[in-house]
């Protein structure tokens, strides 16, 4: 299994509070991604990174920001959480574009 | 507009029989296709992929077929086992693209 960890694995927070999710990889892969999974929507890309300090928006980026200061870490921040951001968040990594992506175990976030 | 469609939300199959999961796509620029398997409370696991230059790829009990003219791919699992019970996601990407576009998933139940 690819070495990908996510923290925390579960979080309950209140509307309006900031939240940061962490993804850590030990594979030294260049590309990292954040997805959210919701019933009836499959997996949707939030943001991705193609190198240290190089990031870009995905399909559902509103309300989220990311940072990547080291190859191994990719942070997803919800500046002011809303109930619509209740979801399961997955981090993924890949060596190159056009290759398969490997996913972390996920973080279940509940915003009350 | 959904570019990758899995029209069957669920499928039940007897153990030992063949499972056929289907996926349709609308974007003619897609040239790489993947299947992922997902168990509850875990991240998606890469299963098998196929490039648009092929029409079939096999890996053990799993075979993916691609029909480019029909913009259709299918995953065959033979023989099906109870441990195959999971949600299966179809995904696709364009050449050189970082982004995977996922279908909504099909829940496969293999009945002993």
């Amino acid at each position: 299994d690819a070495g990908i960890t996510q923290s925390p694995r579960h979080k309950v927070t209140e509307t309006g509070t900031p939240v940061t999710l962490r993804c850590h990889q030990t594979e030294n892969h260049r590309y990292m991604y954040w997805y959210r999974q919701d019933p009836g929507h499959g997996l949707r890309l939030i943001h991705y990174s193609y190198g240290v300090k190089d990031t870009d928006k995905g399909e559902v980026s509103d309300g989220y920001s990311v940072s990547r200061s080291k190859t191994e870490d990719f942070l997803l921040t919800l500046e002011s959480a809303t109930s619509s951001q209740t979801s399961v968040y997955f981090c993924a990594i890949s060596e190159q574009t056009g290759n398969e992506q490997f996913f972390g175990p996920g973080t279940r976030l509940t915003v009350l | 507009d959904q570019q990758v469609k899995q029209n069957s939300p669920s499928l039940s199959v007897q153990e030992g029989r063949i499972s056929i999961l289907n996926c349709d796509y609308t974007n003619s620029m897609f040239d790489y296709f993947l299947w992922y398997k997902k168990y509850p409370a875990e991240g998606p696991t890469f299963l098998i992929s196929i490039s648009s230059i092929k029409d079939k790829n096999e890996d053990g009990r799993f075979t993916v077929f691609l029909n480019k003219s029909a913009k259709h791919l299918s995953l065959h699992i033979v023989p099906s086992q109870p441990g195959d019970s999971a949600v299966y996601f179809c995904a696709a990407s364009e050449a050189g693209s970082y982004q995977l576009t996922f279908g909504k998933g099909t829940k496969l139940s293999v009945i002993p």
Side-chain angles (χ1 to χ4, degrees):
Chain A
D1 289 345
I4 312 169
T5 56
Q6 292 184 233
S7 58
R9 293 293 314 279
H10 301 272
K11 186 171 182 66
V12 179
T13 190
E14 293 189 351
T15 298
T17 60
V19 176
T20 296
L21 308 183
R22 179 181 184 239
C23 177
H24 179 78
Q25 61 144 329
T26 58
E27 305 296 321
N28 201 35
H29 284 356
R30 178 181 176 186
Y31 297 90
M32 298 186 75
Y33 313 80
W34 277 107
Y35 290 87
R36 60 179 288 175
Q37 186 196 7
D38 304 289
H41 287 280
L43 289 120
R44 294 181 291 174
L45 183 66
I46 305 170
H47 281 280
Y48 73 103
S49 170
Y50 47 95
V52 173
K53 299 187 178 176
D54 292 322
T55 65
D56 207 345
K57 296 178 180 180
E59 178 188 358
V60 291
S61 59
D62 287 349
Y64 301 95
S65 62
V66 290
S67 66
R68 191 169 178 200
S69 58
K70 297 185 289 186
T71 299
E72 58 266 35
D73 289 326
F74 192 32
L75 303 180
L76 177 70
T77 297
L78 291 66
E79 301 290 348
S80 177
T82 68
S83 58
S84 65
Q85 293 175 313
T86 292
S87 187
V88 181
Y89 292 85
F90 290 102
C91 174
I93 64 174
S94 68
E95 241 178 323
Q96 306 173 38
T97 59
N99 278 20
E100 55 269 21
Q101 296 177 13
F102 299 97
F103 285 80
T107 294
R108 181 173 293 276
L109 176 67
T110 302
V111 184
L112 301 176
Chain B
D1 179 33
Q2 204 181 346
Q3 297 186 69
V4 177
K5 300 177 184 178
Q6 294 178 256
N7 292 319
S8 299
S10 62
L11 175 69
S12 289
V13 172
Q14 289 285 338
E15 181 179 3
R17 298 288 184 99
I18 184 172
S19 295
I20 300 176
L21 297 99
N22 293 305
C23 179
D24 297 296
Y25 61 96
T26 58
N27 186 346
S28 57
M29 299 301 291
F30 285 150
D31 74 338
Y32 188 62
F33 304 89
L34 308 91
W35 285 95
Y36 284 84
K37 178 169 75 173
K38 187 184 180 303
Y39 293 120
E42 294 184 12
T45 302
F46 169 72
L47 199 55
I48 192 169
S49 63
I50 187 167
S51 163
S52 61
I53 62 173
K54 293 185 172 183
D55 55 17
K56 177 182 172 181
N57 189 26
E58 276 183 272
D59 185 1
R61 297 186 296 115
F62 303 91
T63 303
V64 56
F65 296 91
L66 175 63
N67 182 334
K68 291 185 289 293
S69 60
K71 293 190 176 67
H72 176 84
L73 66 155
S74 60
L75 175 69
H76 293 211
I77 307 173
V78 182
S80 301
Q81 299 173 355
D84 296 328
S85 296
V87 177
Y88 289 78
F89 290 99
C90 170
S93 70
E94 299 182 20
S97 172
Y98 58 87
Q99 184 164 344
L100 291 181
T101 301
F102 284 84
K104 294 182 179 181
T106 296
K107 183 175 182 180
L108 173 66
S109 299
V110 180
I111 303 161

